[in-house]
Amino acid sequence: MSPWGKRDDMVVHEREPYNAEPPRTALAGHRVTPPDAFYSRNHGPIPEIDPAAWRLTVDGLVHNPLELSLEQLRDRFDDVEVTATLQCAGNRRAGLLEVRDIPGEEPWGPCATATGRWSGVRLADVLAHADLHSDAAHIAFAAPDVSPLPDPPEPYGGSIPAAKALSPEVLLAWAMNGEPLPRIHGAPLRVIVPGWIGARSVKWLSRVTAQAEPSANYFQATAYRVLPPEADPSRAGPGDGISLGPIALNCEILSPDDGAQVPPGPAQVTGYALAGDDRTVARIDVSVDGGRTWTQADLDAGDGPWAWQHWHTTVDLPPGDVEVTARAWDSTGALQPESPAHLWNPKGYINNSWARIHLNSA
């Protein structure tokens, strides 16, 4: 096994801190992602935390500040489970790098996406016990992992609007797929914000703060923001660009693998699709002739409103080099943009253009 109990064939973008994704075929056929194939995105060294000594502080614009142990969280609040897909904002950045270089950013492929069954307590229940002030508009999260990316370095953090934080699907989770949360994925406690980019599901959670404004943490105020194409990221400051929250409509082909050699004729193509926030995937189209004709794929129901949906179809592959294309439509009638060239941005976020793989059909 590779570090942190991951598959030996993980695509490792960085070893310290550990950043890796599985090959696309490792996600095929798994509606819930095995822990050894779950992507890992980190901004600083993985902290080592003693669960017995750990405490969660809830403060800020609350009438009843809290300090809670894991045992108190379990005893005082209802235990709930939510199946939710997490997706890194840099998922499929490699497609944007084909358009134009993005210095300093890792070439994430399509598998910085995974689905888990998360168990814990509703953040809304904890906030209700803390009794929010009426002017608490944002809920900020703080963690102890220190990133060298800001100048000076600072611990990781972020925030979500109070309206999302009070939604019943947002969890403080201590378990993943029926097992205790692994250290690499945020033990002893992490936030799970279904439908939003993975950066908001803060790991190794130590503090929840109710406040009037969004978090001033580097990873909320400066990073994870889409800048204009002409912007210089090294000169970007707090508040520049568009802050990222809900996941954009996206899909990907998982099998066959990109570059595979397959015989001509009927071939099964499978993949995932995810709409984000409170939208759902409505349709998947697949083409083997550059988009001149399309086959509508069969779309699985999925495991609840916050989980990806897998899809599959059979296409007739002509002999020779073949490009297979997939595109998703969501419940609002929106379609993915066709080309990554129209989405390029200097941090390489949110490539949700049509999915493409190339096969050799001989």
Side-chain angles (χ1 to χ4, degrees), residues 38 176 260 269 279 299:
F38 212 103
M176 171 183 174
V269 180
R279 293 165 284 116
L299 189 62

Side-chain angles (χ1 to χ4, degrees), residues 8 23 29 40 82 84 105 108 139 149 164 171 209 213 222 239 278 341:
D8 288 333
S40 182
V82 171
E105 299 294 340
W108 289 90
I139 306 299
L149 296 177
K164 179 64 176 179
L171 299 189
T209 301
E213 302 294 335
T222 302
D278 58 356

Side-chain angles (χ1 to χ4, degrees), residues 22 36 49 82-83 113 138 154 159 164 166-167 197 202 209 235 240 254 271 284 297 302 316 331 335 337 342 358:
D36 67 344
I49 300 169
V82 171
T83 300
T113 304
H138 298 268
E154 67 178 88
S159 65
K164 179 64 176 179
L166 294 173
S167 298
I197 62 168
V202 174
T209 301
R235 298 186 177 184
D240 290 348
L254 296 177
I284 299 292
D316 190 19
S331 51
L335 169 66
H342 300 146
H358 294 86

